[in-house]
Amino acid sequence: MLTRVRKSWELPETRATDEHVYRNRRTLLKGMGAGSIMAAGGMLGARRALAAEVAGDLYPAERNDAYTVDRALTDPELVQTYNNFYEFGSHKQIAQAAQALVLQPWQVRIDGMVEQEMTLDAEELIRKMPLEERVYRHRCVEAWSITLPWTGFPLAALVAMARPSSGAKYLRMETFENAEVAPGQRQFWYPWPYVEGLTMAEATSELAFIGTGMYGKPMPRQNGAPLRLVVPWKYGFKSIKSLVRLTFTDERPVSFWEEIAGAEYGFWANVNPEVPHPRWSQATERLLGSDERVPTRIFNGYGEQVAHLYADLQGEKLYI
Ligand code: MTE
């Protein structure tokens, strides 16, 4: 991983959409013999045979050009072999273990304060939704970042379908729980299942997205197939993977990491370079695949779209 590549964030916006940008980087990485990540990347051939194919005919979806960024795309092999998915282990090389995830059938429950509770198969849900592609930055709380084209649909479209009552204030989301498939869930000291939450204003804001794929293909299991949240203005742990339940509620959910260490990982978790994590600075971030650090931006660069959501919440710990 300690490989120097050119300063990709200096590339003009148009280049951020070009596949050859990450292809060049891949060639460079290979040429430099980039250690463990590339070794893990060697698994990709075998993994492709097991590619997640939920609604596979819908890919690639049309790109929505309103959502591109001024950074190069990250090499997909890095994005798909360096993961946080504690259900499969508390380290980054979980890609192979995650292939145990069975995606068909995959039931998603929508319940709580809605007109009518429902259970849908992920494939059925995905086919009902308006799929598109968006390029977003993703900033992990651990101070590394990636940039990639997600396929998916606005979370607002799912909320509209669910028809929550006016009393619903939060959307609580839950990952699958099955320790036979996900050995990390045998680590009983973690509060499984993984839970996350958003306010209704956040859930219906324009950037909140349900990812169903990446790089023009269905979502790899290790990245949270078949459905995951993508909220790019928040630290990555908010972007909960492999959803099985969405509950509309008037009670603020306590998220997985908040329950473990609330002083370090709060409910809001909006990206802010000026508010350090209690144990490290958040001022800069490392672009995955590079040893360069770049400045982190408030709301991860998405302030224009989301800052208004927090204007009346100054008493809250918005950046932890
Ligand atoms: N969702 C679940 N269910 N379990 C997890 O461990 N890790 C989070 C988030 N969603 C996590 C999760 C963290 S810390 C990050 S940074 C992102 O997923 C990583 O997503 P990626 O592996 O697709 O890059």
Side-chain angles (χ1 to χ4, degrees):
M1 284 237 334
L2 296 177
T3 306
R4 188 181 165 84
V5 296
R6 86 176 149 247
K7 292 179 181 170
S8 50
W9 65 95
E10 290 173 352
L11 292 170
E13 185 161 314
T14 47
R15 294 283 300 277
T17 61
D18 284 355
E19 189 162 322
H20 77 261
V21 174
Y22 59 72
R23 297 252 174 262
N24 285 349
R25 180 178 294 178
R26 182 185 304 176
T27 308
L28 192 61
L29 283 164
K30 275 189 177 142
M32 298 180 82
S36 61
I37 282 291
M38 292 314 294
M43 299 181 326
L44 278 172
R47 212 173 61 241
R48 275 198 191 103
L50 295 163
E53 279 302 330
V54 178
D57 58 303
L58 300 179
Y59 298 84
E62 201 171 318
R63 176 158 307 170
N64 181 340
D65 286 322
Y67 304 101
T68 56
V69 297
D70 56 355
R71 278 187 189 169
L73 299 183
T74 309
D75 184 329
E77 294 205 6
L78 296 176
V79 172
Q80 295 169 13
T81 53
Y82 183 92
N83 301 103
N84 275 330
F85 204 165
Y86 276 64
E87 285 81 347
F88 294 100
S90 45
H91 53 84
K92 303 290 189 265
Q93 277 72 46
I94 56 76
Q96 193 140 41
Q99 301 319 307
L101 214 48
V102 176
L103 300 179
Q104 276 172 326
W106 186 282
Q107 306 254 286
V108 183
R109 177 91 183 136
I110 298 176
D111 62 6
M113 301 172 77
V114 289
E115 211 168 278
Q116 189 160 16
E117 300 190 332
M118 57 180 115
T119 304
L120 296 96
D121 195 76
E123 169 128 16
E124 190 189 346
L125 175 61
I126 291 169
R127 288 191 187 280
K128 278 182 201 285
M129 293 288 126
L131 285 203
E132 62 180 50
E133 184 174 82
R134 297 183 178 190
V135 177
Y136 279 165
R137 288 181 291 273
H138 172 100
R139 169 61 159 81
C140 180
V141 73
E142 298 162 345
W144 52 265
S145 64
I146 50 183
T147 302
L148 67 138
W150 299 97
T151 308
F153 55 86
L155 177 53
L158 186 150
V159 172
M161 184 193 75
R163 284 188 284 191
S165 69
S166 58
K169 294 193 169 63
Y170 301 94
L171 178 58
R172 178 187 184 278
M173 286 156 279
E174 205 176 287
T175 297
F176 74 89
E177 187 169 10
N178 183 347
E180 273 174 33
V181 170
Q185 292 185 329
R186 288 188 213 128
Q187 298 184 308
F188 59 85
W189 52 92
Y190 287 119
W192 309 110
Y194 200 99
V195 167
E196 261 306 338
L198 296 174
T199 64
M200 288 302 294
E202 290 176 324
T204 53
S205 70
E206 68 160 292
L207 290 181
F209 201 62
I210 295 291
T212 63
M214 55 167 57
Y215 297 98
K217 300 196 177 119
M219 189 73 78
R221 290 168 172 81
Q222 63 273 26
N223 294 100
L227 299 157
R228 70 173 290 176
L229 182 67
V230 185
V231 279
W233 71 98
K234 292 178 177 285
Y235 289 117
F237 66 87
K238 294 291 295 184
S239 289
I240 178 173
K241 295 178 168 179
S242 302
L243 294 167
V244 292
R245 190 173 174 201
L246 296 100
T247 306
F248 292 86
T249 168
D250 55 4
E251 260 177 56
R252 186 157 115 178
V254 178
S255 63
F256 180 82
W257 287 109
E258 190 181 6
E259 194 167 334
I260 295 166
E264 302 195 359
Y265 312 101
F267 173 77
W268 298 101
N270 296 310
V271 174
N272 187 337
E274 288 175 14
V275 179
H277 181 277
R279 290 182 283 126
W280 58 84
S281 165
Q282 295 290 23
T284 63
E285 63 204 61
R286 179 174 60 86
L287 301 179
L288 200 59
S290 162
D291 58 356
E292 297 269 1
R293 298 195 79 86
V294 301
T296 287
R297 292 156 69 186
I298 180 83
F299 295 115
N300 199 24
Y302 295 104
E304 208 177 301
Q305 291 94 337
V306 298
H308 69 276
L309 297 172
Y310 307 102
D312 298 329
L313 293 167
Q314 294 314 317
E316 296 278 341
K317 288 190 169 165
L318 293 172
Y319 305 106
I320 295 282

